[in-house]
Amino acid sequence: MSDLFLLDSDIFINSYRVHHPFAYKEFHSFWRWLEKLASAGKVQLLDSVYKEITHRNSKGQIDELGQWAESVFSERRITHKTDEIGAAYAQVQDYLATCGCYRPASYAQWEPEDKADPWLIAAAKVLHATIVTNEQAAKPTPNQPLKKEPKIPDVAEALGVQTMDLREFYDASGGLTHSDYPIQPVF
């Protein structure tokens, strides 16, 4: 397993909006843990993922998650604009078009250059990194090609790139201490 983890934007967005909102002090430790992993170089962001997280609205404002990402990852971004990642990106696009598991309308969703998912897989392939995403595999086959957008775990697996979800990342990161929860009697 790789010591480098590339996180998909859904990890940050769902954590911020649903599971670990900044507004609750009890969840601050989750964000500090990610900061610690970033500082140690174990977690980095691909520039296209960073752009999704730090997107500014029509008024030029950025939300709290975007501000946090700027403060933590502005100097810890991986550019997708390298020859090696570009070649791996071409492999991703070729796979989508030729494997028979995706309809043209499906893989066309990954063709725009600003779409982060194919770049994320390409970068992970080149850097031998593990992608952390909460996307679930759809397991398309040539007999049942996917009509919807491709899923990172399916395409990554086909190209030899490892993926895991956030719960698996808790264990794989090496940054958390296992401890039994001391269940207390109800008072």
Side-chain angles (χ1 to χ4, degrees), residues 181-187:
Y181 182 78
I183 299 173
Q184 302 293 317
V186 178
F187 294 99

Side-chain angles (χ1 to χ4, degrees), residues 108-127:
Q109 296 179 58
W110 276 25
E111 289 176 351
E113 187 176 344
D114 63 346
K115 180 69 176 171
D117 295 359
W119 289 110
L120 184 60
I121 294 168
K125 183 171 181 60
V126 169
L127 300 170

Side-chain angles (χ1 to χ4, degrees), residues 96-138:
L96 291 171
T98 62
C99 70
C101 296
Y102 301 94
R103 296 190 181 189
S106 176
Y107 62 77
Q109 296 179 58
W110 276 25
E111 289 176 351
E113 187 176 344
D114 63 346
K115 180 69 176 171
D117 295 359
W119 289 110
L120 184 60
I121 294 168
K125 183 171 181 60
V126 169
L127 300 170
H128 307 286
T130 300
I131 297 172
V132 181
T133 183
N134 282 325
E135 284 188 12
Q136 297 296 310

